């Protein structure tokens, strides 16, 4: 059984952030945990050096993986420690006036992936992950090569929703995604036990998401669908800023409490210049399986009104349906196992709208706001 001392001994061969001092003696190790042969290690760095220190991170991960008894290793770069202040630059001469330019998404493209889209919600419990999986499967049914990334580190749902229980295989420094229903998938849930709590701080979560995104052999994909964590915190903002997102799909239930948070999600993506591809109203209505009566349990139509208000497309209404829930819990999503059912048709229609927008390469312009 591998121990902390075994890991530290293996890291003696890896130079720390200064390029000279062995990593264990550099003072940069900020977290080490081992469970069931899986090693989680975090290295605190100056965030301005993250790109330059990526080889150090990779070398540390490779060194740990070579240890006998290590099933897998995940090494993350964090910025939990206070970085030294930058020296004050000389005062520049006043710049010439220039027309303001709109912000553009930052990030380095991932070879082989044509489009990366985020499925997001302002709060949890609105069915975001279920929508994400069925949207991905809907895109696949329309002929696209699709992958799904589970970026919800604290509550990964993709393994259960797709019925995947295996562990990904390594190939050099990269790992191969698992495949279900023709869709490639990657999640932290493949690397940890389902009941294990991920007690990680924000920088560790951001680093882990980046690794799951960039250290995976995705191959050629028309679209990678990212199941975002709920909310608008560090992980969501960092992903939106550092990944070249082609757009975002917002999922909300119809009631006012959820729509307030959906507005925050729209605002966040607009601030980082990520187009909002549209809003999905989940749990929009309920059809009684006994009498056929229709009930608006969580109200109805609120997401459509928000879409009109913010000038973004309304993608569709998904009912509160016992079949969708049962299929999701069993790892057999309706879009794959019941393609002729009403639920699958709804998700496929949503996917068709998203696909059409991405193929055009543009979305509707944001509305102008005039204050009188």
């Amino acid at each position: 059984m591998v121990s902390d001392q075994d890991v530290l001994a293996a890291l003696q061969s890896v130079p720390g952030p200064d390029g000279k001092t062995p990593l264990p003696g550099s003072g940069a190790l900020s977290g080490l945990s081992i469970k069931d042969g899986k090693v989680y290690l975090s290295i605190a760095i100056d965030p301005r050096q993250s790109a330059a220190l990526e080889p150090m991170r990779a070398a540390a991960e490779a060194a740990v993986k070579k240890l006998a008894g290590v099933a897998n290793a995940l090494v993350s770069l964090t910025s939990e420690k206070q970085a030294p202040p930058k020296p004050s630059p000389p005062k520049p001469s006043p710049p010439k006036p220039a027309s303001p330019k709109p912000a553009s998404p930052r990030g380095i493209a991932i070879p082989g992936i044509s489009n990366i889209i985020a499925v997001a919600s302002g709060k949890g419990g609105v069915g975001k992950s279920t929508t994400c999986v069925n949207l991905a499967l809907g895109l696949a049914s329309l002929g696209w090569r699709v992958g799904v990334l589970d970026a919800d580190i604290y509550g990964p749902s993709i393994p259960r929703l797709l019925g995947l229980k295996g562990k990904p295989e390594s190939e050099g420094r990269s790992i191969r995604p698992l495949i279900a229903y023709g869709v490639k998938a990657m999640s932290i849930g493949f690397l940890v036990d389902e009941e294990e709590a991920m007690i990680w701080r924000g920088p560790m979560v951001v680093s882990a998401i980046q690794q799951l995104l960039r250290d995976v052999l995705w191959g050629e994909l028309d679209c990678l669908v990212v199941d975002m964590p709920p909310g608008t915190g560090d992980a969501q903002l960092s992903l939106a800023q550092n990944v070249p997102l082609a757009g975002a799909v917002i999922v909300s239930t119809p009631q006012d409490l959820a729509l307030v948070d959906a507005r925050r999600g729209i605002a966040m993506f607009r601030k980082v210049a990520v187009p909002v591809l549209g809003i999905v109203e989940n749990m929009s209505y309920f059809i009684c399986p006994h009498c056929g009566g229709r009930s608006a349990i969580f109200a109805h139509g609120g997401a459509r009104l928000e879409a009109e208000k913010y000038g973004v497309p309304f993608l569709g209404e998904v009912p509160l349906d016992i079949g969708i829930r049962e299929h999701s819990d069993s790892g057999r999503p309706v879009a794959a196992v019941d393609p002729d059912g009403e639920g699958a048709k709804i998700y496929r229609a949503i996917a068709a709208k998203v696909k059409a927008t991405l193929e055009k390469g543009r979305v509707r312009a944001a509305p102008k706001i005039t204050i009188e």
Side-chain angles (χ1 to χ4, degrees):
M1 183 176 180
V2 67
S3 66
D4 290 3
Q5 292 305 315
D6 294 329
V7 173
L8 294 176
L11 293 173
Q12 287 291 337
S13 62
V14 180
D18 63 0
K20 300 176 181 179
T21 309
L23 193 52
S26 67
L29 296 181
S30 61
L32 171 60
S33 64
I34 304 172
K35 183 171 182 180
D36 298 331
K38 295 183 284 287
V39 178
Y40 305 97
L41 179 74
S42 58
I43 305 172
I45 64 166
D46 182 336
R48 292 167 291 180
Q49 295 181 302
S50 59
L53 293 177
E54 171 58 22
M56 176 198 69
R57 185 208 65 77
E61 191 168 86
V64 175
K65 284 182 177 179
K66 290 179 181 178
L67 284 172
V70 172
N72 211 330
L74 182 63
V75 178
S76 303
L77 299 178
T78 78
S79 56
E80 294 180 60
K81 293 188 176 181
Q82 182 66 36
K86 287 184 178 179
S88 299
K91 189 174 182 181
S93 56
K96 294 180 180 180
S99 300
K101 295 181 180 180
S104 59
R106 296 188 294 275
I108 302 172
I110 300 174
I113 301 180
S114 300
N115 299 282
I116 304 176
I117 65 172
V119 177
S121 63
K123 63 181 298 181
V126 298
K128 168 184 57 63
S129 296
T130 300
T131 302
C132 173
V133 165
N134 284 286
L135 169 60
L137 291 166
L139 290 169
S141 72
L142 296 172
W144 268 15
R145 298 162 297 179
V146 181
V148 179
L149 171 65
D150 190 350
D152 192 350
I153 299 296
Y154 295 122
S157 301
I158 298 303
R160 177 174 287 270
L161 287 168
L162 287 175
L164 291 169
K165 296 182 179 179
K167 294 188 180 299
E169 297 179 354
S170 298
E171 184 173 314
R173 294 181 178 178
S174 301
I175 53 180
R176 289 192 172 278
L178 300 183
I179 300 177
Y181 307 106
V183 170
K184 298 178 180 179
M186 180 51 58
S187 169
I188 193 71
F190 298 148
L191 306 174
V192 300
D193 294 332
E194 189 175 50
E195 294 80 14
E196 184 173 342
M198 302 302 293
I199 309 174
W200 286 1
R201 293 183 179 176
M204 294 179 69
V205 171
V206 172
S207 181
I209 292 173
Q210 290 291 339
Q211 286 182 254
L212 291 175
L213 181 66
R214 300 187 182 278
D215 292 352
V216 173
L217 299 171
W218 292 109
E220 297 290 328
L221 294 180
D222 295 297
C223 188
L224 177 64
V225 186
V226 181
D227 183 17
M228 297 280 280
T232 54
D234 286 347
Q236 297 87 340
L237 187 60
S238 296
L239 192 63
Q241 289 178 320
N242 296 308
V243 175
L245 293 175
V249 173
I250 306 295
V251 180
S252 178
T253 47
Q255 76 267 38
D256 291 341
L257 189 61
L259 291 169
V260 168
D261 295 304
R263 293 172 201 139
R264 295 191 182 102
I266 294 172
M268 181 195 76
F269 284 113
R270 284 188 167 173
K271 284 182 179 179
V272 293
V274 172
V276 177
L277 301 172
I279 302 177
V280 174
E281 181 169 286
N282 199 32
M283 308 182 200
S284 181
Y285 54 89
F286 173 71
I287 301 294
C288 177
H290 306 292
C291 68
R294 175 166 169 159
S295 302
I297 296 177
F298 298 110
H300 178 261
R304 185 188 293 273
L305 293 175
E306 290 300 312
E308 294 174 356
K309 176 180 177 182
Y310 285 91
V312 299
F314 180 68
L315 297 176
E317 301 174 347
V318 180
L320 179 62
D321 182 77
I322 190 170
I324 294 176
R325 194 274 300 168
E326 288 177 341
H327 280 89
S328 298
D329 285 349
S330 64
R332 302 171 65 250
V334 292
V337 301
D338 187 19
D340 297 324
E342 289 303 314
K345 291 178 181 178
I346 291 171
Y347 286 121
R348 193 158 51 246
I350 292 171
K353 292 178 183 178
V354 171
K355 180 174 180 284
T357 301
L358 293 174
E359 287 177 335
K360 290 178 183 177
R362 59 185 176 84
V363 295
R364 288 177 60 185
K368 295 182 179 179
I369 300 175
T370 304
I371 302 176
E372 299 180 353

